Amino acid sequence: MASQATKDVLMKVRKMVPPMLEKFHKGQMGRVAVIGGSQDYTGAPYFSAMASARLGADMSHVICETEAAQVIKTYSPNLMVHPYMRQAHKLHEKETVDNIYQNVIDMLPRVHVVVIGPGLGRDELMQETCARVITEARKQNIPFVLDADGLYLAQTRPELVQGCTECILTPNVVEFGRLAKSKGLDMDGDETKLCAKLAKAFGGVTIIQKGAKDYISNGETTLISDLEGGLKRSGGQGDTLTGSLGTLLAWRRAYLDRIWDHENDLTAADLLTLAAFGGSSITRECSRLAFAKHGRSLQASDLTEEVVEAFNHLLDPSHAKL
């Protein structure tokens, strides 16, 4: 059962969900790009992009390494898969880092949001390409989400995200500790204030500290996402979170662009925090629903199948069961 505080916040999240109107054209409901996918990891970018699509984004892209692209394309014809990334040992003779970087950068004007990290790996060229994408995304004021090996960039090169109020970091307990160490922070003390402490150290970056409860903070405002989730901790569930965040941030853009009539009573900062809360809540509800069906056998793909139902339960006024 959701707490009253959670219900109140979700009512605000609903304000940023675009209505379904005949006047809208393709792409206005969200264009999201997931950057990741390497020789060893093809599932994560797929789960992230599919969560984005299932939640309601019009267009979901995956920008990945060549071999990963061949595999991901077989998973679903609904995704647009671009083999623009390269691992260092597979860089072709006539390719340069600048060529690879430019191919990815040229995609940015086509999307509203970028998710960086699912299946990325630690390859030096993959990491450097994403570092340059982050720099360019900031210049173009494109919101981005960092997860998994995308967080390694925030850990090792914190200046890339320092002071950025258009990004969300999604660390688990281990990743959170690494980020805190990179900032020289003592993580002892009140656990309810740790997320805000780290967000403030990063200059106002929004952080979702994943755990039994998800703490969400930009250093000034802190929300607690406490919906019941499932009890199985299989890998890949965080990819449903990043994909959901991608769509919600795209809807934030649509709200700010006022593509439909609304009260216009939420600021850009409010909306980013609400998007983080909404993504956390949807993921937790997906986990709960999937665990109820599959128990110990739950896999990341089971969460993908629950995104629509989770949205209906939490954010669709005609179906909501809060």
Side-chain angles (χ1 to χ4, degrees):
M1 180 66 68
S3 66
Q4 187 57 51
T6 291
K7 292 179 181 179
D8 291 343
V9 177
L10 287 173
M11 288 296 290
K12 292 181 180 179
V13 177
R14 286 183 192 172
K15 292 185 176 185
M16 65 190 292
V17 178
M20 304 294 289
L21 301 179
E22 289 186 0
K23 70 175 184 176
F24 291 160
H25 57 74
K26 182 175 69 176
Q28 284 187 293
M29 287 286 204
R31 302 188 297 272
V32 179
V34 177
I35 302 179
S38 54
Q39 182 177 10
D40 293 334
Y41 307 111
T42 59
Y46 164 76
F47 292 133
S48 180
M50 280 304 296
S52 176
R54 290 290 190 187
L55 187 55
D58 281 349
M59 306 173 77
S60 292
H61 299 264
V62 176
I63 304 172
C64 59
E65 190 269 338
T66 304
E67 288 189 10
Q70 295 173 4
V71 176
I72 295 169
K73 285 181 179 182
T74 70
Y75 293 160
S76 173
N78 296 308
L79 304 179
M80 287 160 283
V81 184
H82 312 274
Y84 297 158
M85 299 288 282
R86 293 289 184 275
Q87 293 175 267
H89 69 284
K90 292 188 176 182
L91 190 65
H92 298 162
E93 185 176 332
K94 294 183 179 180
E95 291 178 327
T96 67
V97 175
D98 289 337
N99 295 147
I100 302 304
Y101 159 69
Q102 196 59 50
N103 285 338
V104 180
I105 291 303
D106 288 344
M107 285 286 298
L108 292 183
R110 297 170 56 183
V111 302
H112 296 127
V113 183
V114 181
V115 176
I116 300 172
L120 181 66
R122 299 283 180 89
D123 177 83
E124 183 178 352
L125 180 53
M126 298 277 278
Q127 288 275 320
E128 177 59 27
T129 301
C130 287
R132 297 190 183 192
V133 169
I134 290 171
T135 300
E136 188 62 28
R138 293 190 66 170
K139 289 180 182 177
Q140 297 186 29
N141 203 35
I142 297 173
F144 58 92
V145 178
L146 295 186
D147 186 47
D149 287 317
L151 291 170
Y152 184 69
L153 285 166
Q155 173 193 335
T156 57
R157 300 168 66 175
E159 70 279 2
L160 288 170
V161 299
Q162 186 69 32
C164 181
T165 57
E166 289 291 310
C167 79
I168 299 176
L169 311 185
T170 61
N172 59 27
V173 61
V174 174
E175 293 161 340
F176 188 88
R178 290 171 180 164
L179 289 171
K181 185 177 180 180
S182 75
K183 283 295 185 179
L185 296 181
D186 180 3
M187 288 290 100
D188 293 330
D190 187 349
E191 66 175 11
T192 66
K193 297 180 180 179
L194 296 182
C195 187
K197 187 176 181 181
L198 184 58
K200 190 169 291 187
F202 271 103
V205 167
T206 295
I207 297 175
I208 302 176
Q209 180 188 5
K210 297 182 291 192
K213 296 179 181 178
D214 293 347
Y215 290 93
I216 300 162
S217 184
N218 58 13
E220 300 295 331
T221 300
T222 299
L223 301 175
I224 301 174
S225 175
D226 60 0
L227 285 179
E228 177 187 356
L231 299 179
K232 179 68 184 295
R233 301 291 182 260
S234 58
Q237 296 186 55
D239 300 314
T240 294
L241 171 62
T242 59
S244 298
L245 291 172
T247 295
L248 286 161
L249 288 172
W251 289 348
R252 168 181 179 257
R253 166 71 176 272
Y255 180 99
L256 293 172
D257 286 346
R258 302 200 70 175
I259 69 170
W260 77 94
D261 293 330
H262 55 69
E263 296 174 349
N264 198 34
D265 58 344
L266 297 171
T267 67
D270 293 335
L271 290 163
L272 193 132
T273 304
L274 291 172
F277 188 91
S280 168
S281 298
I282 287 169
T283 304
R284 296 174 76 90
E285 179 69 355
C286 286
S287 176
R288 183 189 71 82
L289 292 168
F291 183 73
K293 293 179 180 178
H294 303 284
R296 293 179 185 273
S297 70
L298 180 148
Q299 299 297 308
S301 56
D302 298 320
L303 270 70
T304 305
E305 300 305 314
E306 301 297 340
V307 171
V308 175
E309 194 67 16
F311 171 80
N312 289 341
H313 285 183
L314 302 179
L315 298 179
D316 187 337
S318 63
H319 293 87
K321 298 181 179 180
L322 285 177

